[in-house]
Amino acid sequence: MPFPIKAVRSAYPALTDGFAYLDGAAGTQTPQMVIDAISSAYRTGIGNVGGAFPASHRSGAIVTGCRAAVADLVGGHPDGVILGPNMTTLTYRLARAIAGPGDEVVLSRLDHDANVRPWTQTGATVRWAEVDPVTGELPVDQYAELIGERTRVVAVTAASNILGTRPDVAAIAELAHRAGALTYVDGVHATAHGPVDMRALGADFYATSAYKWAGPHIGAVVADPALLETISPDKLASSPDTVPHRFETGTAAFADLEGVTAAVDHLAAMVPGTGTRRERLLTSMAAAEEHERELFAGLIAGLETMPHVTVYGKPARRTATAYFNVAGHTPRQAAGHLAGLGVNVWNGHNYAWELTGALGIRDSGGAVRAGLVHYNDASDVDRLLEGVARLSW
Ligand SMILES: Cc1ncc(COP(=O)(O)O)c(C=O)c1O
């Protein structure tokens, strides 16, 4: 059955403004049901959690529902879902609790800086996994050398937010686990682009952000609750010491958490399906992945055939994310020209600090990023390619 792109697009009010939204890797638009869920939480009345009155109970139920939804999305356990404002904040918090001076951490230059700097700043010794700058691949074989008996954590991305590279995380995790190390997998970019099974990936920690997959600005890190029991982050004396609560600081954005659950429900319902929400998510996200793959084949082939365009990377397994420069134009100028034609793309290093450094383009403004998500269609791709073609004049 073809992906019901018209129905999917019609769920997003913002997509009617005439722009081609190819900036999804920096944050997606929001479906009406997510907007409704957030406003309904406020309209119905919410309180802080732990009180004796119904509005407080409603907030408690929202948090529980959100943990269950995120667990379904990534194949984790609801009691191991840590919720917070964004992935960066949660990763700083976890990194400090997990690693420190005397430990070794293995980081990759493929990663977004949010899965790099929180680890380097723990004081642990850093060992680097390098990227092939031509293909954009992260070779697995180097990990056998990098991981040793002092390795506490191997932090690696499930997909690059600029090149789209999907490294072989399962193989890296196997090497890490053999040495007794933990894996911290950045799924912020990957989660939007296909079904996720964090156990199959070998992720001890799997980080994601709902605003990359149709939800509000909320981050989550998912782990086995038994593993979380062994870690003690800094916390207030007065806040709960239970798991996963002890990893969460302050008062949660309850209405937004209701929006996260609605976003997961939206993703699960993009294509007709039966079974549990987890089963419907697997079906629906596989269909979305195929839809993106088909559209992206035309997008990347179109860019690669333009003589004035340099495309970075050619990874074998990738998300529908293209990173390129246009001769004679800075990335900002190219993005500005496309914006004038109603095409939203990003420009810059996009926080892929190490990777743009390895590609030798960080100091010259990085490149242009155009990415597809489930709600993009063929006309978005056509408009991008026409706009970039016009830059050769
Ligand atoms: C791959 C990747 N990791 C981490 C992050 C940081 O996520 P957050 O904005 O939730 O802190 C981003 C955000 O762009 C990202 O693309």
Side-chain angles (χ1 to χ4, degrees):
M1 180 196 146
F3 189 68
I5 183 62
K6 280 208 174 101
V8 169
R9 285 179 69 81
S10 71
Y12 290 78
L15 297 183
T16 57
D17 71 357
F19 280 81
Y21 280 89
L22 298 175
D23 63 329
T28 46
Q29 300 308 309
T30 312
Q32 186 65 49
M33 66 184 275
V34 171
I35 299 166
D36 289 346
I38 294 169
S39 57
S40 157
Y42 281 123
R43 257 199 316 272
T44 313
I46 44 178
N48 211 334
V49 284
F53 51 97
S56 172
H57 299 162
R58 278 197 289 275
S59 294
I62 285 173
V63 176
T64 305
C66 184
R67 293 196 209 283
V70 173
D72 278 352
L73 183 64
V74 306
H77 192 294
D79 293 343
V81 175
I82 303 165
L83 299 166
N86 51 57
M87 177 273 189
T88 306
T89 305
L90 289 172
T91 302
Y92 261 110
R93 181 159 173 71
L94 280 153
R96 275 188 55 160
I98 297 169
D103 293 324
E104 284 186 8
V105 291
V106 178
L107 310 180
S108 100
R109 296 210 200 270
L110 190 67
D111 274 71
H112 187 286
D113 215 38
N115 203 24
V116 172
R117 231 45 63 183
W119 299 106
T120 67
Q121 291 166 4
T122 60
T125 302
V126 176
R127 309 201 65 192
W128 287 103
E130 304 291 343
V131 175
D132 180 327
V134 176
T135 61
E137 300 282 5
L138 181 68
V140 172
D141 44 1
Q142 63 187 317
Y143 278 88
E145 293 284 308
L146 293 169
I147 297 170
E149 59 185 24
R150 291 177 59 187
T151 307
R152 175 75 173 130
V153 172
V154 177
V156 66
T157 192
S160 156
N161 63 313
I162 56 171
L163 304 183
T165 312
R166 286 178 174 278
D168 190 346
V169 172
I172 295 168
E174 202 184 317
L175 292 170
H177 290 153
R178 230 183 269 165
L182 295 167
T183 55
Y184 193 97
V185 177
D186 178 357
V188 173
H189 184 68
T191 309
H193 298 287
V196 177
D197 183 344
M198 63 175 278
R199 292 194 183 103
L201 283 175
D204 294 308
F205 299 87
Y206 184 90
T208 187
S209 270
Y211 76 97
K212 307 285 191 181
W213 36 264
H217 291 87
I218 292 289
V221 175
V222 188
D224 185 335
L227 172 61
L228 294 180
E229 292 289 356
T230 66
I231 302 166
S232 301
D234 288 342
K235 62 174 283 300
L236 303 182
S238 46
S239 64
D241 195 27
T242 45
V243 163
H245 314 93
R246 71 168 175 241
F247 292 89
E248 298 171 340
T249 46
T251 307
F254 300 116
D256 281 350
L257 298 188
E258 185 79 321
V260 172
T261 303
V264 171
D265 286 336
H266 164 74
L267 295 178
M270 286 190 296
V271 301
T274 53
T276 64
R277 180 169 56 191
R278 171 78 184 148
E279 287 162 350
R280 286 181 288 111
L281 277 163
L282 292 176
T283 306
S284 193
M285 292 307 286
E289 183 174 31
E290 180 58 17
H291 166 72
E292 289 178 30
R293 198 190 58 73
E294 283 170 13
L295 284 182
F296 188 69
L299 187 157
I300 200 75
L303 289 176
E304 279 171 349
T305 52
M306 292 186 206
H308 62 299
V309 172
T310 303
V311 176
Y312 299 98
K314 210 177 177 38
R317 291 177 62 243
R318 71 188 306 175
T319 61
T321 317
Y323 196 54
F324 59 95
N325 263 315
V326 183
H329 303 269
T330 65
R332 183 69 181 191
Q333 287 167 341
H337 158 85
L338 289 166
L341 298 172
V343 179
N344 294 349
V345 294
W346 262 97
N347 66 277
H349 52 65
N350 297 314
Y351 285 37
W353 189 254
E354 296 295 331
L355 183 52
T356 49
L359 294 173
I361 55 175
R362 187 172 65 211
D363 297 339
S364 54
V368 176
R369 178 179 64 187
L372 302 174
V373 291
H374 50 269
Y375 56 59
N376 289 117
D377 65 8
S379 81
D380 295 335
V381 174
D382 292 346
R383 289 172 68 185
L384 172 76
L385 293 179
E386 283 159 20
V388 176
R390 282 165 68 164
L391 279 171
S392 70
W393 299 351

